[in-house]
Amino acid sequence: MNDISNQRRRSGAATVFRLTVAALTGLVGLWLAWEGFELATLGGSLYYVLAGLAYVLLGILFVARSRIALPVTVLVFAATCVWAVLDTPEIGYWPLLPRLVLPAILFTFGLWTCAASLPALSTNTRRTLTGGGLTVTSALLVTLVEAFFPHGEIHHPEAMAGSEGLDVAQDDTGDNWEFFGRNANGTRFVPYTQITPQNVEKLKVAWTYHTGRRLTGAAIGVDENTPQQIGNILYSCSPENIVTAIDGDTGQRIWKFDPNARTAEHVSCRGVGYHDIYHDDSLTADDKAADPAQPCRQRLIVSTVDARLFALDAHTGTLCPGFGQDGFVDLKPQMGPTEGGKRYHPSAVPLIAGHIAVIGGWVRDIVHGEPSGVVRAYDVRNGTLVWAWDVGAPDRTGAPPEGETYTLETPNMWTVPTYDRALNLVYLPTGNGPPDYWGGDRNAVKEKFGAAVVAVDASTGKTKWVFQTVHHDVWDYDLPSQPVLQDVTNEKGEKVPALIQTTKTGNIFVLDRRTGTPITAVEERYVATSPAGQGEHLSKTQPTSIGMPLIGADPLSERSMWGVSTFDQLYCRIKFKQSAYTGPFTPPGEKPYIEWPSLLGGMNWGGVAIDESRGLMFVNDMRIPLQMTLETRENAKKFKVSTDEVPGFMGTIRPQVAGPYGGVKIDILQSPLQVPCNTPPFGTMSAIDLRTKKLVWQVPLGTVQDTGPMGIKTHMSVPLGMPTLGGPTATASGLVFFAGTQDYYLRALDAKSGKIVWQGRLPVGAVAAPLIYRSPRTGKEYVVISAGGMSHSPDIGDDIIAYALPDTAGATPGVPEGSNRK
């Protein structure tokens, strides 16, 4: 009786399992067939509808306990494997994952169902099927484990030339981090060797300072600050421009200045300018000698989010009395409708070029009549206007007559310029004349100076040359990063003073900074110009840098659409086929179109670092396609309006009042799980040899530990490669430090291989570039990061964290690990 009872229970369990697998297989099949039919009608792959029908058939066969269920199970999975290999643009772990994991699970269940339920199978056959299912299960477990290892790395060590004959550029900053990119050239290169690839794993927190920045409420901004370091003092700037002087060895506050600056949008401070009258070669000896007892012989120049320019005594933090009116200059007069800084304010570090501070500005870019994009230069000693670069009034170098404004809605410069003292040129990376996404009525000035590198005379502001990176830019491909100055060799092997400009499009342009002519090859390539928005006229060609590697901009296709599973990959393929996409520079229009690379980048404001001792340039990027739609003024009324940054206005429209249009709908091209539809990685770090002009390595950066599907943290260190912001910092010892990933780490990479050799856990994310300095008091080398939270992250902080090695030979012991709250 017991044997009969046990047999009945086993039979009942087998029946339940069989019917469950049949139902699961059938439901998967119905979903794939239904959605696959939609994809097929759009001209997409037929696999999904055929696979769906096959799974429905399998479900029926399982219910019927049909003998042909086994060969059909094997055939469907075998055909799927063949299709997956043929369908994948590039064979790899991430491309194959959504194509094979679900089919492998269904295959396993199918084998076990056949083993348990099909009649007239021999014992050996049942054992073989059970073992086959276990083998596939083991492979799935291995696949899961593999997710925790990097995939998609690129290594070309043969592309790296030797370091013989390399000269490290000399600058007058000494041991100071005086500029946004440390030195005047913007290379973010630190000539120190105390922290090495061999000992970097010993880095520990030396001190932590809390800025006290506002962490709640509206418009709190993003901490994008890399502190300036002069001697043993660090100068930090919070998103709302609270400036603090911090002791570089202890993390103790020396002084603090709060300008009480507020604005509604684009709240950030990336750093402050520094001027030392004694080290300024642009001043005469009499200028330097005048009244040596007066304050502010060393001063900070600070722009604010409410469009003011301050001068502070670097030693005390007090306002410099001779600068402007009571220590500050109001930047808003004659700029147009700034709305108290809401529609215009500087968003980059003031460039100190001799005794002048060059100031650009962020402009909202929504309607005609936006504030002017004029770039201005002020005397750092008294705040007087030295010159104004107003492309609408090229013959005027000063302010407009009283009662008039600078030319409105001209191309602006929201990021950091660069100064070449030897050539006396300032290099301006420009944006576009508003509005961003429709340019049917743009004038000649906007067409010439938009999305361009412009060289102007540092003394007069007069234009010397212009190199445009995008013609008639209606994709918001404004130049996001500081031009970097580095001598390179041309095709003839001659060393040329070069300017390197990274872009949102993934192109890297290398120009002769004397003339603006390309050093590496640039080709005008034909691009699609239709279908475009009403009244639009697009450029037939676009500049393409073919002499340098293209980073993260391989064209998309239906086959390159990705998903965590088969389901969301299919969803993404449908979204892709429903959208207009003709490759780079797809014309904006009233049908949803895909912008790739997107207005987010490619490369963004963080810029690059150059290891001057090895001739390597390090570039981080992000890869997030956008689905966009121009909405007519009538259609725009249907949507909620938002002027927030992407992805803050997902599902809303950004006002874009131009021509027939009232807004642009911008959404990330992503699955319902809120995972981008393109194949990972979504962000990388790349190394390019500036002598061979070739890619040496490229590695995914960042894990899903602190994010994940639907924004839910996975707490798993899967190195998918996440979107990056901020920039890298390189050292002479062969390290690259970087923190701008979506997970909360400061990392050190080996400069030659890209291997992560150390990572330090941060309390929140960080988008700023690391600061590295050597204490003149102790000789200890510090790595400092402002950790205030990633853009749009719910985790926000106010930490400035310094790391150092344990006591080293020749260095005075540092401060014990700990925290100092001020």
Side-chain angles (χ1 to χ4, degrees), residues 629-651:
T629 313
L630 291 178
E631 299 290 352
T632 63
R633 298 192 186 215
E634 188 63 29
N635 285 343
K637 298 175 183 178
K638 303 174 184 177
F639 298 94
K640 178 183 176 182
V641 173
S642 172
T643 56
D644 196 4
E645 299 292 327
V646 176
F649 51 76
M650 290 283 293

Side-chain angles (χ1 to χ4, degrees), residues 557-618:
S557 67
E558 181 205 332
R559 295 167 58 199
S560 66
M561 293 297 98
W562 191 76
V564 176
S565 70
T566 301
F567 301 117
D568 50 322
Q569 183 181 43
L570 174 53
Y571 174 91
C572 285
R573 294 178 84 134
I574 292 172
K575 291 281 285 185
F576 180 84
K577 296 299 288 187
Q578 288 174 337
S579 306
Y581 177 73
T582 56
F585 304 98
T586 294
E590 296 172 30
K591 177 183 177 180
Y593 65 95
I594 294 174
E595 184 175 285
W596 169 261
S598 74
L599 58 90
L600 302 174
M603 285 74 91
N604 210 294
W605 61 264
V608 306
I610 296 177
D611 183 337
E612 298 178 24
S613 63
R614 293 171 178 80
L616 293 175
M617 180 172 71
F618 307 102

Side-chain angles (χ1 to χ4, degrees), residues 249-260:
D249 278 307
T250 68
Q252 296 287 335
R253 185 178 75 190
I254 300 171
W255 56 255
K256 183 175 183 179
F257 171 80
D258 186 352
N260 296 305

Side-chain angles (χ1 to χ4, degrees), residues 67 238 363 386 540 579 691 703 782 808:
R67 292 185 178 182
S238 77
V363 178
V386 178
K540 295 181 180 179
S579 306
R691 291 150 297 169
T703 71
Y782 293 92
T808 54

